[in-house]
Amino acid sequence: MKKKQKRKSRKAEVRIPFPNMLAMVLVCVAASGLSYIWLCARCDTLGSEIKKLESERHNVRQRAINEQDRWSNMLAPANFERALKHHKLAMTLPSERQIVRVRRGSSERVLTLAYNQKGFMNADEL
Amino acid sequence: MNYKGRTILASVLMATVFAGLGVRLAFLHLKPSPETLVRIESGRHLEEETRGPRGRILDRNGNILAVDIAARHLCADPKFILENGDIQQVCEAIAGVVPLSRSEIWTLLDQPERQYVRIQKYMREKTLEQLKEMKLKGVILEETSMRNYPKGALGAHVIGFSNCEGVGGAGIEQRLNSYLQGTTGRKVSLKDGRRHEIYSRRTVDIEPQSGADIYLTIDQQVQHFAEKALDALVAKYQPQGAWAIVQNVRSGEILAMASWPAYNPNRYGSAPPEWMRNRTISYGYEPGSVMKAMIIASALDGGYVTPRDVFDCENGHWMYGGRALNDSHGEGLLSVADIIKKSSNIGAAKIALQMGNEKTYQSLKSFGFGARTGIDLPGEEGGILWTVKNWSKISITRLAMGHEINVTALQMLSALSAIANDGVRMRPYLVDKVVDAAGETVFKTLPGELGRPIRPETAKTMRRLLARVTQPGGTGTKAAVRGYPVAGKTGTAQKVRPKEEGGGYYDHKYFASFAGFLPVENPAISIIVVVDDPQGAHYGGSVCGPAFRIIADQTVRYLRISPQGFPTEYVSGLGPIVPEEKKSAEAGAL
């Protein structure tokens, strides 16, 4: 009796195979969707990274400009003189009497040498 | 209600909620009302315009004279601060960094209806470091930029200043504003719920470009020498004004241009307008005896006189055209060479009379008087040189001694430099080159010739005659530089009394000046020093001579100018004049 019932139910089961094409399409759609979401997320991540770098570059540029400004201020002749005075450094440009000019070959180039305490520097010392 | 009933009810409720959300979603996406669209868009839309920084101004060696630096506006949200009860702490913290008292800050913050107040504009980042560390809630540090002049007052009249809107208001900042101004950048994008930009939704991204850098011909060190010499001169003679220019005679480049009173362009708002005036180009004055150099040069060039010709200087008193003409030191017979050396008014007048009105007028015109030099600065005056038909009988005798003519210091220096430069008058210029943000040179100024008022041989003779002025017995001995032969001419002129005060000349107010160049035989630099109404002394030789000497002495050593010639490596313009025989010898050696 049981065997008969089993046979009947097997007969009643209609197996409709899932279409391969549809499965592939669905898989493709799902994959595309996932890729799209992944790409979007990646773009956003890269975007925020770029923005962060942009902001960093901006800050670095500003810092560089401010440092340039500070350096330039330090190199102002008046500040330089003040610093020399502060450190009690008496520095003056050599006077004409303290300079010896040596002509090199026949060209017009001249070399300027600072006066040395022992006397004028000799051209042979070059 | 049993389990099944509760399940159905929950399902129905959830389905209703989701259906409602779905409908709203569909409604928003498929057919939103125009108002909704505008509201959504305005909430998400982000559009920013950023002004590119102004270009820098640098001296000839690349030292920065003006630059845009990062700064902050110190702002606050009073409503937030009051609601959080932090006002006392905020006031104390801010009072330490801004020049405002605690009570003034309190008054600003004690406005519960306001969400934004600006406490202090344009603050330097460094000043705010401490405040930043405290991370005070309700305190906003708005990003901005400001124009800064790191050298302070150095070269202020040349550089000028730029206002808060980033527009040049004086000097190079004004004249080259179009080059200095940066381009505006633009960004169009969308914001997220936290008001942060969504980078992937950025549709327009135009970077702001900074303006072009301007390289001047000014040398900050030479400028400092000139300004320091003027400061010393001002301290000694308490004049109403003093100014000086240093020029490269071969190219016309201006190496220094100083004017006193000066101002600090970082605080231009607090400087009186009179201080901002660049007297070297905008202040016309009667030059006095310096003019004799041009008159005698023209007379020599035209063959009207020779250096050995002798004139009777009438022992210092001569009546001409019914008016007396006096010399400060009475002299009898003087040669043309000695007329320059002793600066005889009578001698110069007689030389001018030999030339005649028309020739004198033409020669002064050819030296550039009565016309602007065309320097790249705003506000240049052209001076006054009346045409011959406006002259009286005695005009020519007054012109010969530098009266009845109005010149600027730059015109006078340009004329003297022509004598130094073998008779070639060069166009004075301040801008060496303009370099854009990409590093490309937009333009480079090349030395330009303005005219040839005298022949090279006459110029050579004049150089030697002018060299005698600084030698013993001359009027300009105080301008002599040890180790260097200096040529120059002193000038002392009574100041013109305005018509409102009765016209004529003041009895005890003078313009003192000294203009010269060195080394005599192969001139490299020319310098002029002018002082308006010095107290205690008034002769050009004694007032301006020492200042000239100080500037010249320091400049020749700094620029490594030898007593014989030009500093070859320094000249960007024409370079030294090398005699033909030397050129061929060099070519042979190479």
Side-chain angles (χ1 to χ4, degrees):
Chain A
M1 191 66 188
K2 274 185 181 177
K3 278 182 181 175
K4 268 187 179 179
Q5 272 179 349
K6 271 184 184 175
R7 259 181 225 146
K8 271 183 186 174
S9 63
R10 270 178 201 161
K11 273 182 187 173
E13 264 180 32
V14 181
R15 286 201 166 191
I16 305 165
F18 196 79
N20 287 343
M21 204 60 180
L22 182 64
M24 276 170 68
V25 167
L26 283 175
V27 167
C28 282
V29 167
S32 305
L34 282 172
S35 307
Y36 176 77
I37 291 165
W38 181 79
L39 280 173
C40 276
R42 187 84 191 111
C43 280
D44 285 345
T45 315
L46 283 172
S48 42
E49 265 174 38
I50 291 169
K51 268 177 62 63
K52 211 170 128 188
L53 289 170
E54 270 181 354
S55 153
E56 248 172 59
R57 184 187 62 174
H58 175 73
N59 288 341
V60 167
R61 269 186 189 169
Q62 290 205 327
R63 239 177 55 204
I65 288 170
N66 285 6
E67 287 305 315
Q68 259 184 21
D69 174 69
R70 227 157 59 89
W71 178 239
S72 183
N73 178 263
M74 285 165 78
L75 289 184
N79 287 343
F80 217 77
E81 275 182 7
R82 217 168 289 141
L84 287 174
K85 208 173 172 183
H86 177 74
H87 295 290
K88 290 175 185 160
L89 292 167
M91 287 178 79
T92 51
L93 288 160
S95 73
E96 189 51 34
R97 200 181 56 82
Q98 295 169 308
I99 297 168
V100 60
R101 289 184 166 80
V102 184
R103 283 176 192 274
R104 185 181 281 167
S106 59
S107 79
E108 275 297 295
R109 267 187 79 182
V110 289
L111 296 173
T112 307
L113 302 173
Y115 178 70
N116 126 3
Q117 285 296 318
K118 290 173 193 165
F120 287 110
M121 204 176 267
N122 197 311
D124 301 334
E125 290 174 43
L126 283 170
Chain B
M1 198 181 279
N2 61 10
Y3 174 76
K4 198 176 173 187
R6 286 203 300 272
T7 311
I8 290 167
L9 188 65
S11 304
V12 168
L13 278 172
M14 279 185 71
T16 314
V17 168
F18 278 108
L21 282 173
V23 168
R24 179 70 181 147
L25 207 61
F27 183 74
L28 286 174
H29 277 271
L30 301 175
K31 205 186 173 188
S33 69
E35 299 85 48
T36 317
L37 262 179
V38 170
R39 196 153 46 86
I40 294 168
E41 278 304 306
S42 63
R44 296 186 70 203
H45 190 72
L46 174 85
E47 193 164 345
E48 274 179 9
E49 283 202 345
T50 325
R51 198 178 68 195
R54 267 176 93 75
R56 300 173 302 169
I57 299 177
L58 307 100
D59 82 342
R60 63 184 302 128
N61 300 317
N63 292 301
I64 298 170
L65 303 174
V67 65
D68 267 13
I69 59 165
R72 304 262 179 178
H73 294 319
L74 177 59
C75 311
D77 179 350
K79 193 179 174 188
F80 181 87
I81 293 169
L82 288 167
E83 279 170 5
N84 285 271
D86 289 342
I87 187 160
Q88 197 159 345
Q89 190 201 353
V90 172
C91 279
E92 271 163 22
I94 292 174
V97 290
V98 298
L100 291 173
S101 69
R102 205 174 155 278
S103 60
E104 282 172 317
I105 300 165
W106 189 287
T107 316
L108 276 171
L109 295 179
D110 195 15
Q111 302 180 86
E113 73 287 353
R114 293 187 69 177
Q115 284 187 290
Y116 179 87
V117 285
R118 192 174 274 178
I119 299 166
Q120 183 75 29
K121 287 201 285 184
Y122 298 110
M123 294 193 69
R124 290 193 169 221
E125 293 268 3
K126 214 179 166 214
T127 329
L128 294 166
E129 268 170 17
Q130 201 186 340
L131 206 64
K132 268 189 204 168
E133 279 170 19
M134 293 173 82
K135 289 181 181 164
L136 295 168
K137 285 179 180 171
V139 174
I140 309 150
L141 297 173
E142 264 180 18
E143 208 171 88
T144 184
S145 68
M146 64 189 259
R147 195 66 165 163
N148 192 50
Y149 303 91
K151 315 285 182 194
L154 187 91
H157 293 97
V158 174
I159 302 161
F161 62 85
S162 139
N163 63 19
C164 300
E165 279 80 42
V167 180
I172 291 293
E173 290 270 29
Q174 185 185 350
R175 175 49 68 93
L176 297 183
N177 189 50
S178 54
Y179 283 108
L180 283 164
Q181 269 185 331
T183 57
T184 305
R186 193 159 168 260
K187 199 194 288 181
V188 178
S189 188
L190 292 179
K191 288 185 283 191
D192 63 13
R194 289 174 297 164
R195 295 178 176 275
H196 290 160
E197 188 208 353
I198 308 166
Y199 183 82
S200 53
R201 298 287 185 274
R202 197 182 281 184
T203 48
V204 177
D205 189 2
I206 302 165
E207 276 271 301
Q209 292 291 313
S210 61
D213 287 344
I214 312 287
Y215 285 80
L216 302 180
T217 57
I218 293 283
D219 187 309
Q220 68 161 2
Q221 199 61 46
V222 181
Q223 179 73 26
H224 177 64
F225 296 150
E227 289 185 6
K228 215 173 140 191
L230 286 190
D231 286 343
L233 192 151
V234 166
K236 193 171 178 187
Y237 296 106
Q238 283 108 39
Q240 286 187 19
W243 48 103
I245 310 172
V246 182
Q247 187 182 27
N248 178 337
V249 297
R250 298 298 184 201
S251 60
E253 292 165 301
I254 302 295
L255 301 177
M257 187 178 256
S259 180
W260 185 92
Y263 69 102
N264 187 341
N266 289 312
R267 293 188 292 275
Y268 69 89
S270 59
E274 192 54 24
W275 291 15
M276 294 185 191
R277 188 173 179 186
N278 185 351
R279 286 167 161 74
T280 58
I281 57 161
S282 68
Y283 202 111
Y285 67 102
E286 292 198 350
S289 301
V290 185
M291 191 56 82
K292 286 169 192 160
M294 288 81 215
I295 294 287
I296 293 171
S298 303
L300 289 172
D301 199 61
Y304 296 95
V305 291
T306 67
R308 290 178 196 278
D309 288 354
V310 176
F311 285 81
D312 183 2
C313 294
E314 316 278 350
N315 290 318
H317 184 79
W318 184 48
M319 290 299 289
Y320 180 79
R323 300 284 294 271
L325 185 60
N326 299 309
D327 277 340
S328 56
H329 303 288
E331 301 283 350
L333 296 176
L334 284 179
S335 66
V336 170
D338 282 341
I339 285 171
I340 292 185
K341 185 174 182 176
K342 307 274 182 191
S343 195
S344 167
N345 294 334
I346 298 167
K350 287 186 173 181
I351 292 170
L353 281 168
Q354 286 221 359
M355 279 201 293
N357 284 357
E358 197 53 48
K359 174 65 190 167
T360 304
Y361 173 76
Q362 288 303 334
S363 64
L364 290 176
K365 224 173 149 45
S366 68
F367 271 108
F369 297 113
R372 292 188 183 96
T373 62
I375 192 159
D376 17 32
L377 277 179
E380 189 194 4
E381 289 290 332
I384 302 166
L385 172 63
W386 300 109
T387 50
V388 178
K389 64 178 181 186
N390 293 312
W391 290 11
S392 66
K393 192 185 175 190
I394 61 163
S395 289
I396 189 167
T397 59
R398 296 324 190 242
L399 275 163
M401 53 186 259
H403 282 278
E404 289 198 22
I405 185 169
N406 186 286
V407 305
T408 63
L410 185 64
Q411 281 178 329
M412 186 47 84
L413 187 67
S414 173
L416 192 82
S417 294
I419 295 173
N421 190 33
D422 293 322
V424 183
R425 196 161 69 87
M426 303 301 291
R427 188 177 69 80
Y429 63 97
L430 271 165
V431 177
D432 178 32
K433 59 182 175 182
V434 177
V435 179
D436 68 13
E440 296 287 320
T441 302
V442 180
F443 80 72
K444 172 137 181 78
T445 311
L446 292 172
E449 195 181 307
L450 288 175
R452 291 173 182 249
I454 50 171
R455 288 173 289 120
E457 309 87 70
T458 314
K460 191 176 177 184
T461 310
M462 272 311 293
R463 288 202 294 266
R464 288 176 180 171
L465 295 182
L466 289 170
R468 299 176 78 235
V469 172
T470 61
Q471 287 164 7
T475 54
T477 48
K478 288 185 177 172
V481 178
R482 203 172 164 188
Y484 287 82
V486 174
K489 187 70 197 81
T490 54
T492 311
Q494 283 173 287
K495 277 184 80 172
V496 175
R497 197 199 310 264
K499 274 187 182 166
E500 306 87 67
E501 293 180 33
Y505 289 91
Y506 285 112
D507 289 333
H508 303 293
K509 286 188 177 183
Y510 298 88
F511 273 111
S513 59
F514 186 90
F517 53 84
L518 71 164
V520 171
E521 289 304 327
N522 191 8
I525 54 164
S526 57
I527 302 167
I528 187 167
V529 180
V530 184
V531 179
D532 176 7
D533 193 17
Q535 306 297 309
H538 64 269
Y539 285 115
S542 52
V543 175
C544 302
F548 174 94
R549 179 179 51 77
I550 292 167
I551 300 170
D553 188 35
Q554 292 178 319
T555 305
V556 289
R557 285 190 276 158
Y558 168 69
L559 298 181
R560 288 179 281 165
I561 298 168
S562 80
Q564 290 80 33
F566 223 91
T568 47
E569 67 274 33
Y570 198 78
V571 185
S572 64
L574 290 177
I577 291 176
V578 183
E580 284 305 315
E581 61 270 23
K582 279 191 181 170
K583 271 187 195 169
S584 51
E586 274 180 35
L590 289 168

